[in-house]
Structure formats: structure tokens, C-alpha cells
Amino acid sequence: MLKKKAFTLIEMIIVITVLSIVAMISANVMYQAFQGTFAQYDLGTVDSQARVILVKMTSEIRTIRSNATSDLILGANTITFTDVLGNTITYSLSGNTLMRNAQPLADSVTSLAFSYYNASHNVTATSTEVRYITVTIGMTVEAQSIVLKTTIFPRNF
């Protein structure tokens, strides 16, 4: 009589167990890869948003009419100035929203700071002594945070 070759129940259970372990390891590797991809996307998003905001602020701050007290009001987290066209512009932080005048410019902003320096590169709180301004902006999107900083030399100082 011919014996049929077949798998025993124990062999089938061992194969299913081994395949389950391989599947769990593969799923974990794929999960980590997707998490890395999503984190990179979020970081790119927050970086590009912060850079766009900083470019806009830089271009406007460069156009401050003068450093006279009537044209430039200094604040640690806010700045108000008059540009060469006579427009009054204020940048400030309201909660997590960066405001330009009374209009929201960007969300997810966690910090906004201005530093003012004189010709000797010393911090000053007097508008008539200001020669350049440093802007620091922090943003967070999802779990990704970024802090960007730039120094601006207004044209008319």
C-alpha cells in the first residue's frame, strides 16, 4: 500500500507561527518607514511655511521709513513701523497665530521674538539707535518644530 505524504497538524501550526512572526516583523518595519516619511513631510511643511513668513516679514521690515520714534515702535514680541509708503504695519503673536495688523498671517506659530541692535552690535531699546533687527520665529506642525532666525538691515537706517 502506498502511503500519502501530507503535513501533520504540528507542522502546519509551526509554519503558521513562523509566518506570523515574519509578518509582524515586516509590518513593524513598514510602520516605521511610513512614520519616517510622514515626519519628513511634516518637517518640510513647517520649514517651508516658516521660511515664507520670514521672507514676507523681512521684505516689509526692510522698508521701514526711519528709526524715528514715530516710525518704529519696539517690542520683544511685537513690532510696529511705518513703511516708505506711509503704511503702518504691526507684527504680533496672538495665541498661536501670527498677526499682520489685525489679519492672521500664519497659524501654528509657537514663538515670535524681535531683538534690536545699534551700530556697535549691542542690544538697544531706543528706536533712534536701531540699525538692525533680528527676528526669531518658531513653528510647530504635528510633532515637528522648527525655529528660524534672520537679521534684517532696514534700508533707511
Side-chain angles (χ1 to χ4, degrees), residues 58-59 61-65 84 152-157:
T58 299
S59 67
I61 290 172
R62 279 196 177 121
T63 66
I64 295 174
R65 183 168 47 197
V84 292
I152 305 162
F153 297 88
R155 294 181 186 127
N156 299 315
F157 287 10

Side-chain angles (χ1 to χ4, degrees), residues 24-78:
M24 286 183 355
I25 292 170
S26 298
N28 189 32
V29 168
M30 288 178 56
Y31 175 77
Q32 295 298 326
F34 283 124
Q35 287 297 94
T37 301
F38 295 143
Q40 185 64 31
Y41 175 77
D42 290 342
L43 185 59
T45 300
V46 72
D47 180 62
S48 64
Q49 287 177 355
R51 289 183 189 279
V52 166
I53 293 165
L54 216 48
V55 166
K56 178 168 181 56
M57 291 176 70
T58 299
S59 67
E60 287 190 332
I61 290 172
R62 279 196 177 121
T63 66
I64 295 174
R65 183 168 47 197
S66 73
N67 59 355
T69 307
S70 60
D71 289 334
L72 178 61
I73 301 170
L74 312 178
N77 304 101
T78 184

